[in-house]
Amino acid sequence: MKQKSTAANKTDEIWEKIIFESIEIKKKEPLLNYFIDKKISDHNSFQECLSYLVADNLECSFIEFSEIKKITDFALDSDEKIIFSTVEDILANFDRDPACTRHINPVLYYKGFQALQCYRIANFYSKKGKLDLAYLIQMLVSNKFSVDIHPFATIGKGILMDHAHGIVIGETAKIGDNVSLLHSVTLGGTGKEEGDRHPKIHSGVSIYASSTILGNIIIGKNSTIAAGSLVLKNVEPNVTVAGIPAKIINK
């Protein structure tokens, strides 16, 4: 028998925790039983739960829900990396957000997490050349969550989008693993460039609220962008920058 990968085992472990937490919620808040059943209990696996979660968030008046569900099912059946990345996103919320005390919270309540999973489906279809479908998902997510992530952007795993309102990520932006972004962060272009024109955020970076990073610049590994900063030049690894324009304030 083929053994499960480490990532698959981790997925099963997180799913078991989510199921346990869902049972506890239903015991404490019977009023939420239907809500919890639709989001969690009705599904036999984390993949089924994730597919429903994304489809439910993309539900709209001009496409039948069953057709949207086929879209999400196909993406997850075709690319298990989406599922593993989602698990790492849950762990990022649990590990790095002090307000997140349960693994189930992002799945049920956090719009940053949910917008990110919708992006992952849009990104899958953008790679398949189904551009209008990808753009439609982007539009629906932007309208619902006020989070605008271009489907062509490249985003790693273990991402925390805390609060998330007003986050904008441009077409050629690249974000590594284990990056944290707070609300009103912009990864945009300067308006003077064409082609590859958006920031490259290396792994382990923290970008605090209302920061703006513009242009095809590099934010080095494990660096920190302080709240309200305007970053227009490369940032070296392992430093903190702040201000308008941003300057190094701590190594």
Side-chain angles (χ1 to χ4, degrees), residues 157-230:
K157 61 185 183 296
I159 306 300
L160 169 63
M161 291 186 177
D162 195 12
H163 300 291
H165 193 87
I167 286 179
V168 176
I169 299 175
E171 177 184 15
T172 60
K174 293 184 179 180
I175 299 176
D177 298 336
N178 304 313
V179 170
S180 299
L181 303 93
L182 273 74
H183 52 282
S184 299
V185 163
T186 297
L187 306 181
T190 63
K192 300 177 181 179
E193 302 167 304
E194 295 181 0
D196 193 354
R197 60 195 183 282
H198 295 110
K200 310 299 179 279
I201 313 298
H202 286 195
S203 296
V205 171
S206 296
I207 308 175
Y208 285 88
S210 300
S211 294
T212 299
I213 304 173
L214 300 179
N216 185 13
I217 60 176
I218 294 172
I219 308 301
K221 188 175 181 180
N222 298 327
S223 59
T224 298
I225 311 300
S229 297
L230 173 62

Side-chain angles (χ1 to χ4, degrees), residues 16-25 102-104:
E16 289 177 5
K17 291 180 178 180
I18 289 172
I19 290 294
F20 175 79
E21 291 166 352
S22 71
I23 294 170
E24 293 298 302
I25 293 173
R102 301 174 301 187
H103 295 85
I104 200 172

